[in-house]
Coordinates of all heavy atoms in Angstrom, one line a residue:
M1 N 139.5 142.5 105.2 CA 139.6 143.3 104.0 C 139.2 142.4 102.8 O 139.5 141.3 102.8 CB 141.0 143.8 103.9 CG 141.3 144.5 102.5 SD 143.0 144.9 102.2 CE 143.7 143.3 102.1
T2 N 138.5 143.0 101.9 CA 138.2 142.4 100.6 C 138.6 143.2 99.5 O 138.7 144.5 99.6 CB 136.7 142.1 100.5 OG1 136.0 143.3 100.5 CG2 136.2 141.2 101.6
T3 N 139.0 142.6 98.4 CA 139.4 143.3 97.2 C 138.7 142.6 96.0 O 138.4 141.5 96.0 CB 140.9 143.2 96.9 OG1 141.3 141.9 96.8 CG2 141.7 143.8 98.1
R4 N 138.5 143.5 95.0 CA 137.9 142.9 93.7 C 138.3 143.9 92.6 O 138.6 145.1 92.8 CB 136.4 142.8 93.8 CG 135.6 144.0 93.9 CD 134.1 143.8 94.0 NE 133.4 145.0 94.2 CZ 133.0 145.9 93.3 NH1 133.2 145.6 92.0 NH2 132.3 147.0 93.6
I5 N 138.4 143.3 91.4 CA 138.7 144.1 90.2 C 137.4 144.2 89.4 O 136.8 143.1 89.1 CB 139.9 143.5 89.4 CG1 141.1 143.6 90.3 CG2 140.1 144.2 88.1 CD1 142.3 142.9 89.7
D6 N 137.1 145.4 89.0 CA 136.0 145.6 88.1 C 136.5 146.0 86.7 O 137.1 147.1 86.6 CB 135.0 146.7 88.6 CG 133.8 147.0 87.7 OD1 133.8 146.5 86.6 OD2 133.0 147.7 88.1
A7 N 136.4 145.1 85.8 CA 137.0 145.3 84.4 C 135.9 145.7 83.4 O 136.1 145.6 82.2 CB 137.8 144.1 84.0
S8 N 134.7 146.1 83.9 CA 133.6 146.4 83.0 C 133.8 147.7 82.2 O 133.1 147.9 81.2 CB 132.3 146.4 83.7 OG 132.2 147.4 84.7
G9 N 134.6 148.7 82.7 CA 134.8 149.9 82.0 C 136.0 150.0 81.1 O 136.5 148.9 80.8
Q10 N 136.3 151.2 80.7 CA 137.5 151.3 79.8 C 138.8 150.9 80.5 O 139.7 150.4 79.9 CB 137.6 152.7 79.3 CG 136.5 153.1 78.3 CD 136.7 154.5 77.7 OE1 137.3 155.3 78.4 NE2 136.2 154.7 76.5
K11 N 138.9 151.2 81.8 CA 140.1 150.9 82.6 C 139.7 150.1 83.8 O 138.7 150.4 84.4 CB 140.8 152.2 83.0 CG 141.4 153.0 81.9 CD 142.1 154.2 82.5 CE 143.5 153.9 82.8 NZ 144.3 155.1 83.3
P12 N 140.4 149.0 84.0 CA 140.0 148.2 85.2 C 140.2 149.0 86.5 O 141.1 149.8 86.6 CB 140.9 147.0 85.2 CG 141.8 147.1 84.0 CD 141.5 148.4 83.3
V13 N 139.4 148.7 87.5 CA 139.4 149.4 88.8 C 139.5 148.4 89.9 O 138.8 147.4 89.9 CB 138.2 150.3 89.0 CG1 138.2 151.0 90.4 CG2 138.1 151.3 87.9
L14 N 140.4 148.7 90.9 CA 140.6 147.8 92.0 C 139.8 148.4 93.2 O 140.1 149.6 93.5 CB 142.1 147.7 92.4 CG 142.4 147.0 93.7 CD1 142.0 145.5 93.7 CD2 143.9 147.1 94.0
F15 N 138.9 147.7 93.8 CA 138.2 148.1 94.9 C 138.8 147.4 96.2 O 139.0 146.2 96.2 CB 136.7 147.8 94.8 CG 136.0 148.6 93.8 CD1 135.8 148.1 92.5 CD2 135.4 149.8 94.2 CE1 135.2 148.9 91.6 CE2 134.7 150.5 93.2 CZ 134.6 150.1 91.9
V16 N 139.0 148.2 97.2 CA 139.6 147.7 98.5 C 138.6 148.1 99.6 O 138.4 149.3 99.8 CB 141.0 148.2 98.8 CG1 141.5 147.7 100.1 CG2 141.9 147.9 97.6
D17 N 138.0 147.2 100.2 CA 137.0 147.5 101.3 C 137.5 146.8 102.6 O 138.0 145.7 102.5 CB 135.6 146.9 100.9 CG 135.0 147.5 99.7 OD1 135.0 148.8 99.6 OD2 134.6 146.8 98.8
G18 N 137.3 147.5 103.7 CA 137.7 146.9 104.9 C 137.3 147.8 106.1 O 136.5 148.7 105.9
E19 N 137.8 147.5 107.3 CA 137.5 148.3 108.5 C 138.7 148.2 109.4 O 139.4 147.3 109.4 CB 136.2 147.8 109.1 CG 136.3 146.5 109.8 CD 135.0 146.2 110.5 OE1 133.9 146.8 110.3 OE2 135.0 145.3 111.4
A20 N 138.8 149.3 110.2 CA 139.8 149.4 111.2 C 139.0 149.6 112.5 O 138.0 150.2 112.5 CB 140.8 150.6 111.0
G21 N 139.5 149.1 113.6 CA 138.8 149.2 114.8 C 139.7 149.4 116.0 O 140.9 149.2 116.0
N22 N 139.1 149.9 117.1 CA 139.8 150.2 118.3 C 139.5 149.0 119.3 O 138.4 148.9 119.8 CB 139.3 151.5 118.9 CG 140.0 151.8 120.2 OD1 140.8 151.0 120.8 ND2 139.8 153.0 120.7
D23 N 140.4 148.1 119.5 CA 140.2 147.0 120.4 C 140.8 147.3 121.7 O 140.8 146.4 122.6 CB 140.9 145.8 119.8 CG 140.3 145.3 118.5 OD1 139.1 145.5 118.3 OD2 141.1 144.8 117.6
G24 N 141.2 148.6 122.0 CA 141.7 149.0 123.3 C 140.6 149.4 124.2 O 139.5 149.2 124.0
S25 N 141.1 149.9 125.3 CA 140.1 150.3 126.4 C 139.9 151.8 126.5 O 139.2 152.3 127.3 CB 140.6 149.8 127.8 OG 141.9 150.3 128.1
K26 N 140.6 152.6 125.6 CA 140.5 154.1 125.7 C 140.2 154.6 124.2 O 140.7 154.0 123.3 CB 141.8 154.7 126.2 CG 142.1 154.3 127.6 CD 143.4 155.0 128.0 CE 143.7 154.6 129.5 NZ 144.9 155.2 130.0
T27 N 139.6 155.7 124.2 CA 139.4 156.4 122.9 C 140.7 156.8 122.3 O 141.6 157.2 123.1 CB 138.5 157.6 123.0 OG1 137.2 157.2 123.5 CG2 138.3 158.4 121.7
A28 N 140.9 156.6 121.0 CA 142.2 156.8 120.4 C 142.0 157.4 119.0 O 141.0 157.0 118.3 CB 143.1 155.6 120.3
P29 N 142.9 158.3 118.5 CA 142.7 158.8 117.1 C 143.1 157.7 116.1 O 144.0 156.9 116.3 CB 143.7 159.9 117.1 CG 144.7 159.7 118.1 CD 144.0 158.9 119.2
L30 N 142.4 157.7 115.0 CA 142.6 156.7 114.0 C 143.7 157.3 113.1 O 143.5 158.3 112.4 CB 141.3 156.4 113.2 CG 141.4 155.5 112.0 CD1 141.8 154.1 112.5 CD2 140.1 155.4 111.3
P31 N 144.9 156.6 112.9 CA 145.9 157.2 112.1 C 145.5 157.0 110.6 O 144.6 156.1 110.3 CB 147.1 156.3 112.4 CG 146.6 155.1 113.1 CD 145.3 155.4 113.6
P32 N 146.2 157.7 109.7 CA 145.9 157.4 108.3 C 146.3 156.0 107.9 O 147.0 155.3 108.6 CB 146.9 158.4 107.6 CG 147.3 159.4 108.6 CD 147.2 158.7 109.9
L33 N 145.6 155.5 106.8 CA 145.9 154.1 106.4 C 146.7 154.2 105.1 O 146.6 155.1 104.3 CB 144.5 153.5 106.1 CG 143.5 153.4 107.2 CD1 142.2 152.9 106.7 CD2 144.1 152.5 108.3
E34 N 147.5 153.1 105.0 CA 148.3 153.0 103.8 C 147.9 151.7 103.1 O 147.8 150.6 103.7 CB 149.8 152.9 104.1 CG 150.4 154.2 104.5 CD 151.9 154.1 104.8 OE1 152.5 153.0 104.8 OE2 152.5 155.2 104.9
I35 N 147.6 151.8 101.8 CA 147.2 150.7 101.0 C 148.4 150.4 100.0 O 148.7 151.2 99.2 CB 145.9 150.9 100.2 CG1 144.8 151.3 101.2 CG2 145.5 149.7 99.4 CD1 143.5 151.8 100.5
D36 N 149.0 149.2 100.1 CA 150.1 148.8 99.2 C 149.5 147.8 98.2 O 149.0 146.8 98.6 CB 151.2 148.2 100.0 CG 152.0 149.2 100.9 OD1 151.9 150.4 100.6 OD2 152.7 148.7 101.8
V37 N 149.7 148.2 96.9 CA 149.3 147.3 95.9 C 150.6 146.8 95.2 O 151.3 147.6 94.6 CB 148.4 148.0 94.9 CG1 147.9 147.0 93.7 CG2 147.1 148.5 95.6
T38 N 150.8 145.5 95.3 CA 152.0 144.9 94.6 C 151.5 144.2 93.3 O 150.6 143.4 93.4 CB 152.7 143.9 95.5 OG1 153.1 144.6 96.7 CG2 153.9 143.3 94.9
S39 N 152.1 144.6 92.2 CA 151.8 144.0 91.0 C 152.4 142.6 90.8 O 153.3 142.2 91.6 CB 152.1 144.9 89.8 OG 153.5 145.0 89.7
E40 N 152.0 141.9 89.8 CA 152.5 140.6 89.6 C 154.0 140.6 89.2 O 154.7 139.6 89.3 CB 151.7 139.9 88.5 CG 150.3 139.6 89.0 CD 149.4 138.9 88.0 OE1 149.9 138.6 86.9 OE2 148.3 138.6 88.4
D41 N 154.6 141.8 88.8 CA 156.0 141.8 88.5 C 156.8 142.2 89.8 O 158.0 142.4 89.7 CB 156.3 142.7 87.4 CG 156.1 144.2 87.7 OD1 155.7 144.6 88.8 OD2 156.4 145.0 86.8
G42 N 156.2 142.4 90.9 CA 156.8 142.7 92.2 C 156.9 144.2 92.5 O 157.3 144.6 93.6
S43 N 156.5 145.1 91.6 CA 156.6 146.5 91.9 C 155.4 146.9 92.8 O 154.3 146.3 92.7 CB 156.6 147.4 90.7 OG 155.4 147.2 89.9
T44 N 155.6 147.9 93.7 CA 154.6 148.2 94.7 C 154.2 149.7 94.5 O 155.1 150.6 94.4 CB 155.1 148.0 96.1 OG1 155.3 146.6 96.3 CG2 154.0 148.4 97.2
T45 N 152.9 150.0 94.6 CA 152.4 151.3 94.6 C 151.7 151.5 95.9 O 150.9 150.7 96.4 CB 151.4 151.6 93.4 OG1 152.1 151.3 92.2 CG2 150.9 153.0 93.5
R46 N 152.0 152.6 96.6 CA 151.5 152.9 97.9 C 150.5 154.1 97.8 O 150.8 155.1 97.2 CB 152.5 153.3 98.9 CG 152.0 153.6 100.3 CD 153.1 153.7 101.3 NE 153.5 152.4 101.6 CZ 154.7 152.0 102.1 NH1 155.6 152.9 102.4 NH2 155.0 150.8 102.4
Y47 N 149.3 153.9 98.4 CA 148.2 154.9 98.4 C 148.0 155.2 99.9 O 148.0 154.4 100.7 CB 146.9 154.4 97.8 CG 147.1 154.0 96.3 CD1 147.4 152.7 96.0 CD2 146.9 154.9 95.3 CE1 147.5 152.3 94.6 CE2 147.0 154.6 94.0 CZ 147.3 153.3 93.7 OH 147.4 152.9 92.3
S48 N 147.7 156.5 100.1 CA 147.4 156.9 101.5 C 145.9 157.3 101.6 O 145.3 157.9 100.7 CB 148.2 158.2 101.9 OG 149.5 157.9 101.9
L49 N 145.3 156.8 102.6 CA 143.9 157.1 102.9 C 143.8 157.9 104.2 O 144.0 157.3 105.3 CB 143.1 155.8 103.0 CG 141.6 155.9 103.3 CD1 140.9 156.7 102.2 CD2 141.0 154.5 103.4
G50 N 143.5 159.2 104.1 CA 143.4 160.0 105.3 C 142.1 159.7 106.1 O 141.1 159.2 105.6
T51 N 142.3 159.8 107.4 CA 141.2 159.6 108.4 C 140.9 160.8 109.2 O 140.0 160.7 110.1 CB 141.6 158.4 109.3 OG1 142.7 158.8 110.0 CG2 141.8 157.1 108.5
S52 N 141.6 161.9 109.0 CA 141.4 163.1 109.8 C 141.6 162.9 111.3 O 141.1 163.7 112.1 CB 140.0 163.7 109.5 OG 139.9 164.1 108.1
G53 N 142.4 161.9 111.6 CA 142.6 161.6 113.0 C 141.3 161.4 113.8 O 141.3 161.6 115.0
R54 N 140.3 160.9 113.2 CA 139.0 160.7 113.8 C 139.2 159.8 115.0 O 139.8 158.8 115.0 CB 138.1 159.9 112.8 CG 136.8 159.6 113.3 CD 136.0 158.9 112.2 NE 134.6 158.7 112.5 CZ 134.2 157.6 113.1 NH1 135.0 156.6 113.3 NH2 132.9 157.5 113.4
P55 N 138.6 160.3 116.2 CA 138.7 159.5 117.4 C 137.8 158.3 117.3 O 136.6 158.4 116.8 CB 138.2 160.5 118.5 CG 137.5 161.5 117.8 CD 137.9 161.6 116.4
L56 N 138.3 157.2 117.7 CA 137.5 155.9 117.8 C 137.4 155.5 119.3 O 138.4 155.4 120.0 CB 138.2 154.8 117.1 CG 138.1 154.8 115.6 CD1 138.8 153.5 115.0 CD2 136.7 154.9 115.0
A57 N 136.2 155.3 119.7 CA 135.9 154.9 121.1 C 136.2 153.4 121.2 O 136.3 152.7 120.1 CB 134.4 155.1 121.4
P58 N 136.4 152.9 122.4 CA 136.7 151.4 122.5 C 135.6 150.6 121.8 O 134.4 150.9 122.0 CB 136.7 151.2 124.0 CG 137.1 152.6 124.6 CD 136.5 153.6 123.6
G59 N 136.0 149.7 121.0 CA 135.1 148.8 120.3 C 134.5 149.4 119.1 O 133.8 148.7 118.3
E60 N 134.7 150.6 118.8 CA 134.2 151.3 117.6 C 135.0 150.8 116.3 O 136.2 150.6 116.4 CB 134.2 152.8 117.7 CG 133.5 153.5 116.6 CD 133.5 155.0 116.8 OE1 134.1 155.5 117.7 OE2 132.9 155.7 115.9
R61 N 134.3 150.7 115.2 CA 134.9 150.3 113.9 C 134.8 151.5 112.9 O 133.9 152.3 113.0 CB 134.2 149.1 113.3 CG 133.9 148.0 114.3 CD 135.0 147.4 115.0 NE 135.9 146.5 114.3 CZ 137.0 146.0 114.7 NH1 137.5 146.4 115.9 NH2 137.7 145.2 114.0
F62 N 135.7 151.6 112.0 CA 135.8 152.6 110.9 C 135.8 151.8 109.6 O 136.8 151.2 109.3 CB 137.0 153.5 111.1 CG 137.2 154.4 110.0 CD1 136.5 155.6 110.0 CD2 138.1 154.2 109.0 CE1 136.7 156.6 108.9 CE2 138.3 155.1 107.9 CZ 137.6 156.3 107.9
A63 N 134.7 151.9 108.8 CA 134.7 151.2 107.5 C 135.3 152.1 106.5 O 135.1 153.3 106.5 CB 133.3 150.8 107.2
F64 N 136.1 151.5 105.6 CA 136.6 152.3 104.5 C 136.5 151.5 103.2 O 136.3 150.3 103.1 CB 138.1 152.6 104.7 CG 139.0 151.4 104.8 CD1 139.6 150.9 103.6 CD2 139.3 150.8 106.0 CE1 140.4 149.8 103.7 CE2 140.1 149.7 106.1 CZ 140.7 149.2 104.9
S65 N 136.5 152.3 102.1 CA 136.4 151.7 100.7 C 137.2 152.6 99.8 O 137.1 153.8 99.9 CB 135.0 151.7 100.3 OG 134.9 151.1 99.0
S66 N 138.1 152.0 99.0 CA 138.9 152.8 98.1 C 138.8 152.2 96.7 O 138.7 151.0 96.5 CB 140.4 152.8 98.5 OG 140.6 153.5 99.7
R67 N 138.9 153.1 95.7 CA 138.8 152.7 94.3 C 140.2 153.1 93.7 O 140.5 154.3 93.7 CB 137.7 153.5 93.7 CG 137.5 153.3 92.3 CD 136.3 154.1 91.8 NE 136.3 154.0 90.3 CZ 135.2 154.2 89.6 NH1 134.1 154.4 90.2 NH2 135.3 154.1 88.3
L68 N 140.9 152.2 93.3 CA 142.3 152.4 92.8 C 142.5 151.9 91.4 O 141.8 151.0 90.9 CB 143.3 151.7 93.8 CG 143.1 152.0 95.3 CD1 144.0 151.1 96.1 CD2 143.4 153.4 95.6
E69 N 143.5 152.5 90.8 CA 143.9 152.1 89.4 C 144.6 150.7 89.5 O 145.4 150.4 90.4 CB 144.9 153.1 88.9 CG 145.3 152.8 87.4 CD 146.2 153.9 86.9 OE1 146.1 155.1 87.4 OE2 147.0 153.6 86.0
V70 N 144.3 149.8 88.6 CA 144.9 148.5 88.6 C 146.3 148.6 87.9 O 146.4 149.3 86.8 CB 144.0 147.5 87.8 CG1 144.8 146.2 87.6 CG2 142.7 147.2 88.5
P71 N 147.3 148.1 88.5 CA 148.7 148.2 87.9 C 148.7 147.6 86.5 O 148.0 146.6 86.2 CB 149.6 147.4 88.8 CG 148.9 147.4 90.1 CD 147.4 147.4 89.8
R72 N 149.5 148.1 85.6 CA 149.6 147.6 84.3 C 149.9 146.1 84.2 O 149.5 145.4 83.3 CB 150.7 148.4 83.5 CG 150.9 148.0 82.1 CD 151.8 148.9 81.4 NE 152.5 149.9 82.2 CZ 153.8 150.2 82.2 NH1 154.5 149.6 81.3 NH2 154.3 151.1 83.0
N73 N 150.7 145.6 85.2 CA 151.1 144.2 85.2 C 150.2 143.3 86.1 O 150.6 142.2 86.4 CB 152.5 144.1 85.7 CG 153.5 144.7 84.7 OD1 153.3 144.5 83.5 ND2 154.5 145.5 85.2
G74 N 149.0 143.8 86.4 CA 148.1 143.0 87.2 C 148.3 143.2 88.7 O 149.3 143.7 89.1
V75 N 147.4 142.7 89.5 CA 147.5 142.8 90.9 C 148.0 141.4 91.5 O 147.4 140.4 91.2 CB 146.1 143.1 91.6 CG1 146.2 143.1 93.1 CG2 145.6 144.4 91.1
G76 N 149.1 141.5 92.3 CA 149.6 140.3 93.0 C 149.0 140.2 94.4 O 148.3 139.3 94.7
T77 N 149.3 141.3 95.2 CA 148.8 141.3 96.6 C 148.4 142.8 96.9 O 148.8 143.7 96.3 CB 149.9 140.9 97.6 OG1 151.0 141.8 97.5 CG2 150.4 139.5 97.3
V78 N 147.5 142.8 97.9 CA 147.1 144.1 98.5 C 147.2 144.0 100.0 O 146.7 143.0 100.6 CB 145.6 144.4 98.0 CG1 145.1 145.7 98.7 CG2 145.5 144.5 96.5
S79 N 147.7 145.0 100.6 CA 147.8 145.0 102.1 C 147.4 146.4 102.6 O 147.7 147.4 101.9 CB 149.2 144.6 102.6 OG 150.1 145.6 102.2
V80 N 146.8 146.5 103.7 CA 146.5 147.8 104.4 C 147.1 147.8 105.8 O 147.0 146.8 106.5 CB 144.9 147.9 104.5 CG1 144.6 149.2 105.2 CG2 144.3 147.8 103.1
S81 N 147.7 148.9 106.1 CA 148.3 149.1 107.4 C 148.1 150.5 107.9 O 147.7 151.4 107.1 CB 149.8 148.8 107.3 OG 150.5 149.6 106.4
F82 N 148.4 150.8 109.1 CA 148.4 152.2 109.6 C 149.7 152.8 109.2 O 150.8 152.3 109.3 CB 148.3 152.2 111.2 CG 147.0 151.6 111.7 CD1 146.9 150.5 112.4 CD2 145.8 152.3 111.4 CE1 145.7 150.0 112.9 CE2 144.6 151.8 111.8 CZ 144.5 150.7 112.6
A83 N 149.6 154.1 108.8 CA 150.8 154.9 108.4 C 151.6 155.2 109.7 O 151.0 155.4 110.8 CB 150.3 156.2 107.7
D84 N 152.9 155.3 109.5 CA 153.8 155.7 110.7 C 153.8 157.2 110.9 O 153.6 158.0 110.1 CB 155.2 155.2 110.4 CG 155.2 153.7 110.4 OD1 154.4 153.0 111.0 OD2 156.1 153.1 109.6

């Protein structure tokens, strides 16, 4: 996963790019993704990225890119996980 902040516009934007993959031996549905953005003051905002349960074949990858609002107190950490 890579992240970057674009501050060239009126409001800064956080870009999160990455990929999820099926490292198993059977086709499996891709669950929704959760992107957690923790600001420098410790507060966390959670974003959901739907995947429509897209089936992934063994070895297949799913690239994603999200454009998010930068927290008022700046970005501390960003993490991406599968939703429960």
